[in-house]
């Protein structure tokens, strides 16, 4: 089997950023989707996010994105990477990191500043409602906004060297 594209990125040099993971067009309809790698930690060099923080960010992010006036109809999916170093954002259309950077910044500012009960975190709404940590989610959101999104440049929007 061929190695999939995301396993071809050298994670030993990957930095936090906003990257196009893939862009796909449906063979029948031509509908294009873009998958973004919202990388929040330097893989294999920094601690991964705690699952309770990831879970809180997932709920906050999905709620924010589905309610964003500009992007709500274009968002297909927002969810965590299994490695707990970031999130995937999948949207309709062919887009660049520069296109979604304002949206991603607003999303993580929303999470950073959120007050109240985490949306969808009641037993009848979530299959693991008790595993959520708003304080840790806010810490990660604050770090991502301050250290990455506020100074997003080409080095943090273009994947580094690929593995052969």
């Amino acid at each position: 089997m061929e190695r999939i594209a995301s396993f071809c990125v050298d994670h030993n040099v990957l930095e936090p950023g906003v990257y196009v993971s893939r862009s796909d067009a449906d063979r029948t309809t031509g509908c294009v989707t873009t998958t973004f790698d919202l990388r929040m930690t330097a893989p294999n060099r920094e601690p991964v996010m705690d699952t309770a923080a990831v879970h809180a960010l997932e709920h906050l992010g999905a709620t924010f994105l589905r309610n964003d006036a500009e992007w709500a109809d274009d968002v297909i999916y927002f969810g965590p990477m299994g490695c707990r170093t970031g999130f995937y954002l999948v949207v309709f259309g062919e887009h660049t990191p520069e296109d979604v950077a304002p949206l991603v910044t607003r999303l993580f500012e929303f999470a950073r500043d959120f007050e109240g009960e985490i949306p969808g975190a009641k037993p009848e709404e979530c299959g693991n409602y008790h595993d959520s940590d708003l304080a840790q989610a806010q810490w990660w959101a604050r770090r991502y906004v301050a250290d990455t999104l506020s100074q997003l440049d080409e080095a943090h929007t273009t994947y580094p060297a690929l593995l052969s």
Side-chain angles (χ1 to χ4, degrees):
M1 293 192 332
E2 291 184 37
R3 181 187 297 175
I4 63 172
S6 61
F7 295 159
C8 293
V9 176
D10 187 346
H11 285 67
N12 290 319
V13 298
L14 184 60
E15 294 292 326
V18 176
Y19 304 95
V20 171
S21 177
R22 59 185 293 151
S23 185
D24 300 287
D26 182 271
R27 290 184 191 127
T28 306
T29 65
C31 177
V32 175
T33 62
T34 304
T35 302
F36 289 94
D37 170 342
L38 308 180
R39 191 65 60 155
M40 297 178 68
T41 72
N44 304 316
R45 298 180 313 283
E46 293 184 315
V48 298
M49 292 180 282
D50 178 281
T51 56
V54 169
H55 194 198
L57 284 169
E58 177 185 19
H59 279 243
L60 292 168
T63 300
F64 174 85
L65 292 166
R66 295 290 184 191
N67 285 281
D68 185 78
E70 180 184 353
W71 284 87
D73 292 338
D74 292 327
V75 172
I76 298 169
Y77 173 77
F78 173 79
M81 296 175 178
C83 61
R84 295 182 291 140
T85 62
F87 289 83
Y88 288 114
L89 170 63
V90 184
V91 297
F92 284 116
E94 190 168 350
H95 295 283
T96 66
E98 293 76 20
D99 294 338
V100 299
L103 172 68
V104 173
T105 300
R106 289 193 317 271
L107 157 61
F108 284 95
E109 288 172 341
F110 170 78
R112 176 195 68 195
D113 301 335
F114 185 81
E115 294 181 8
E117 287 187 33
I118 296 170
K122 294 178 181 163
E124 61 273 17
E125 300 168 328
C126 179
N128 192 11
Y129 74 96
H130 64 278
D131 188 20
S132 199
D133 187 332
L134 179 59
Q136 280 296 308
Q138 290 175 315
W139 186 91
W140 284 105
R142 188 170 32 259
R143 178 180 185 259
Y144 193 45
V145 169
D147 296 352
T148 304
L149 298 174
S150 68
Q151 50 202 355
L152 207 55
D153 59 12
E154 187 176 345
H156 296 92
T157 58
T158 304
Y159 276 136
L162 299 178
L163 301 171
S164 55

